[in-house]
Amino acid sequence: MQNEILIKQLKYKDQRAFSQLYDMYAESILGVVYTILNDQPLAEEVLQDTFLKVWDKADQYDSKKGRFFTWILNIARNKAIDKTRSKAFKQSQKSTDLENFKNVINANSEINKKEDADLIKKTVDKLKPLCVKLIDMLFFKGFTQEQTSESLDTPLGTIKSRSRSCLKDLRESFNTQSL
């Protein structure tokens, strides 16, 4: 309930609400961004850009489409992936795995963060190992489908169909969790 109030206040450009939401989520978001970039100064820059976008676009958040944490996480992930592409990161610089991502989020102690971390962990743990690998490469590390195909030595068409299937499984798993 507290989150809902803060989010509503944020939509009206309340700086205190923004500050509280930043305090609640910045550590987790920074961990995810760092996992993608593996560079602390760049991760901090992306974190700042993420929260600037959250401030500017708060009115676009729709609780019917998902949790606030997920909305911020998607903004941060997209910004981090854009950063890796703009810096032409090589695959060898993207060698962290999804387990590190789960561990970063699980390390948080605040109740709301813990709930989000538990939801992500439960959802990911239900996926097949191949799905975890594909989602990790395509979404957390920013690989293209072509790069994933080459890295896994698997035909591109197979990667495309498996990734669609895995995303469907992930979506269904999220839908069965209490959001």
Side-chain angles (χ1 to χ4, degrees):
M1 186 60 115
Q2 176 69 11
N3 272 5
E4 293 171 13
I5 294 168
L6 290 173
I7 294 165
K8 185 175 183 178
Q9 291 171 334
L10 173 64
K11 288 182 177 189
Y12 290 107
K13 303 297 185 195
D14 183 308
Q15 292 179 358
R16 285 180 294 169
F18 176 79
S19 180
Q20 286 182 292
L21 289 166
Y22 180 90
D23 290 343
M24 290 170 64
Y25 294 111
E27 185 180 336
S28 294
I29 299 300
L30 181 62
V32 171
V33 171
Y34 181 80
T35 299
I36 295 169
L37 298 173
N38 201 24
D39 181 308
Q40 188 68 28
L42 280 178
E44 291 170 0
E45 179 182 325
V46 169
L47 177 69
Q48 181 178 0
D49 291 345
T50 298
F51 276 92
L52 284 173
K53 186 167 185 173
V54 167
W55 175 260
D56 290 339
K57 305 291 184 181
D59 59 323
Q60 293 180 4
Y61 168 69
D62 183 356
S63 62
K64 294 174 188 151
K65 293 182 179 179
R67 298 182 74 160
F68 187 71
F69 176 79
T70 306
W71 182 68
I72 297 174
L73 184 63
N74 282 329
I75 293 170
R77 184 187 66 81
N78 290 338
K79 287 194 167 293
I81 290 170
D82 288 347
K83 184 66 76 174
T84 64
R85 290 179 179 159
S86 71
K87 294 288 185 178
F89 277 34
K90 299 198 183 315
Q91 288 183 11
S92 63
Q93 294 172 315
K94 305 175 198 170
S95 61
T96 57
D97 65 12
L98 187 60
E99 205 55 43
N100 286 340
F101 167 73
K102 292 191 297 188
N103 291 337
V104 166
I105 292 179
N106 270 337
N108 297 301
S109 60
E110 292 181 33
I111 293 172
N112 289 327
K113 290 180 187 176
K114 181 83 172 114
E115 289 173 8
D116 291 329
D118 289 344
L119 175 63
I120 291 169
K121 185 175 183 332
K122 284 180 198 173
T123 303
V124 170
D125 286 345
K126 288 182 178 181
L127 296 176
K128 299 173 192 164
L130 175 62
C131 287
V132 172
K133 181 78 171 164
L134 285 174
I135 290 170
D136 179 40
M137 293 177 80
L138 293 168
F139 294 95
F140 293 109
K141 293 182 182 171
F143 283 50
T144 64
Q145 289 181 330
E146 293 80 11
Q147 290 169 326
T148 303
S149 171
E150 289 172 19
S151 178
L152 297 178
D153 195 28
T154 304
L156 180 59
T158 302
I159 294 297
K160 288 180 177 186
S161 63
R162 286 183 182 166
S163 64
R164 274 192 305 273
S165 175
C166 290
L167 288 175
K168 180 180 175 238
D169 291 348
L170 181 63
R171 195 174 302 113
E172 288 173 2
S173 184
F174 263 122
N175 288 337
T176 61
Q177 301 289 329
S178 62
L179 298 175

